[in-house]
Amino acid sequence: MNRLLSHALLACALALAGSAFAQDGAEVYAAQCASCHQPEGQGLGTFPALADNEFVQGDERELVELMLSGRAAMPAFASILDDADIAAVLTHVRSSWGNDADAIEAEFVAEVREGVDEPEAVEVDLPDDWFELGEAAYQRNCAACHQASGAGIPGAFPALAENAFVQGNADELLRILLNGRAGMPAFAGSLGNADIALIASYVRNAWENEAHLVDADMVEVVRGGGDLELDPTTPTFRPGAGQ
Ligand code: HEC
Ligand code: HEC
């Protein structure tokens, strides 16, 4: 094949890949946002409605900064979504459910991203084989209900695999493990901080999940009724986790 032709084909393949992966804001929304903000942007409980929302239709820079850095229980998407995906999902949200605001371009997201400081990972103190230890402790304490696959049992035990809550705010996850909730038993009495940290780190990184690790000191803080007060810009994803 001559060189010119192969370049033309490559450019064409890249253009196709770009449009297939990055541009569908509705798909990104369904995969990344709908579990909290709900399929029609109507919100639920502490998850604000994005439908008919002034902030969503307002200042583009503030909106992109919130997406990149997160805030409280809203995850930071800087390391989850690339510029094109963030532009696509925000453009979708800004033109759906009664919202009517201009599209956001990937170039603009890139510009805002440059001004947002790269958040630093928080140091965690875990043994090297935390994943295997966490898996074993999960099997002993959790798998009877939530299943070894993390898929749960529909209608009875929620799936922990690909679960936004499990990968979200670590304080809230630790609180439910320690104190229980409805049919979910409390583990504060039966498990020590080290085991709870291993299990929390495992469920946040097993299956397709990926989220910041948790160590025994963090569990102690939450057990004592405190908050981790992790900087909201703390990356949700920790490089190397889950391998
Ligand atoms: C784990 C749950 C969760 C996920 C997933 C999530 N959000 Fe949020 N989001 C929140 C919470 C909670 C808040 C409120 C934050 C606060 O209290 O400041 C919020 C706030 C927002 C706001 C600000 C709304 C306002 O009126 O101030 C926007 C915009 C937003 N989210 C968009 C998105 C988009 C787009 C996605 C997907 C890419 C997404 N969120 C994914 C939980 C989530
Ligand atoms: C006896 C069964 C049972 C066991 C054992 C159990 N859970 Fe649960 N779990 C539940 C039930 C039921 C719920 C739903 C509670 C509710 O409706 O509020 C739940 C909820 C959860 C949630 C919240 C999910 C969400 O999306 O809100 C998490 C996280 C969780 N469990 C993790 C664990 C972990 C980790 C263990 C092991 C340490 C464990 N569970 C052990 C029954 C169990």
Side-chain angles (χ1 to χ4, degrees):
M1 194 187 301
N2 79 48
R3 178 172 293 203
L4 203 65
L5 179 59
S6 70
H7 273 171
L9 284 175
L10 180 65
C12 180
L14 287 174
L16 279 175
S19 64
F21 286 112
Q23 310 309 335
D24 195 345
E27 267 175 38
V28 178
Y29 184 83
Q32 300 287 345
C33 325
S35 59
C36 293
H37 294 289
Q38 304 301 296
E40 299 297 320
Q42 69 272 38
L44 179 71
T46 56
F47 305 124
L50 304 183
D52 248 326
N53 178 314
E54 282 187 16
F55 179 80
V56 165
Q57 298 172 83
D59 188 85
E60 297 183 8
R61 183 171 296 271
E62 282 182 28
L63 183 59
V64 172
E65 277 172 0
L66 171 70
M67 292 302 298
L68 291 168
S69 304
R71 189 174 69 206
M74 163 78 183
F77 283 93
S79 54
I80 304 173
L81 296 176
D82 65 18
D83 297 337
D85 281 337
I86 289 178
V89 74
L90 289 180
T91 297
H92 172 69
V93 169
R94 278 161 69 88
S95 59
S96 303
W97 321 306
N99 295 330
D100 183 14
D102 290 344
I104 288 185
E105 304 287 336
E107 290 71 27
F108 179 72
V109 178
E111 183 192 313
V112 176
R113 193 189 280 270
E114 276 191 13
V116 173
D117 291 337
E118 275 293 310
E120 278 182 35
V122 170
E123 290 280 318
V124 289
D125 184 10
L126 283 175
D128 286 346
D129 53 349
W130 62 268
F131 191 83
E132 290 72 24
L133 293 171
E135 183 171 28
Y138 175 84
Q139 298 298 349
R140 282 195 300 277
N141 293 287
C142 324
C145 296
H146 295 287
Q147 306 299 295
S149 64
I153 296 181
F157 306 117
L160 305 185
E162 295 180 60
N163 176 319
F165 176 83
V166 170
Q167 298 169 83
N169 188 306
D171 301 38
E172 287 176 25
L173 174 64
L174 293 177
R175 245 172 248 130
I176 196 176
L177 295 186
L178 288 163
N179 307 327
R181 187 181 78 197
M184 163 75 186
F187 287 90
S190 56
L191 293 177
N193 294 341
D195 278 332
I196 289 186
L198 288 168
I199 292 174
S201 295
Y202 172 75
V203 297
R204 282 162 75 79
N205 291 281
W207 316 300
E208 298 291 310
N209 293 349
E210 264 188 296
H212 201 286
L213 301 177
V214 171
D215 67 15
D217 288 347
M218 294 179 180
V219 181
E220 179 60 28
V221 169
V222 177
R223 194 189 277 269
D227 287 317
L228 294 179
E229 288 175 8
L230 289 175
D231 184 318
T233 61
T234 298
T236 314
F237 288 71
R238 181 171 185 276
Q243 259 112 75

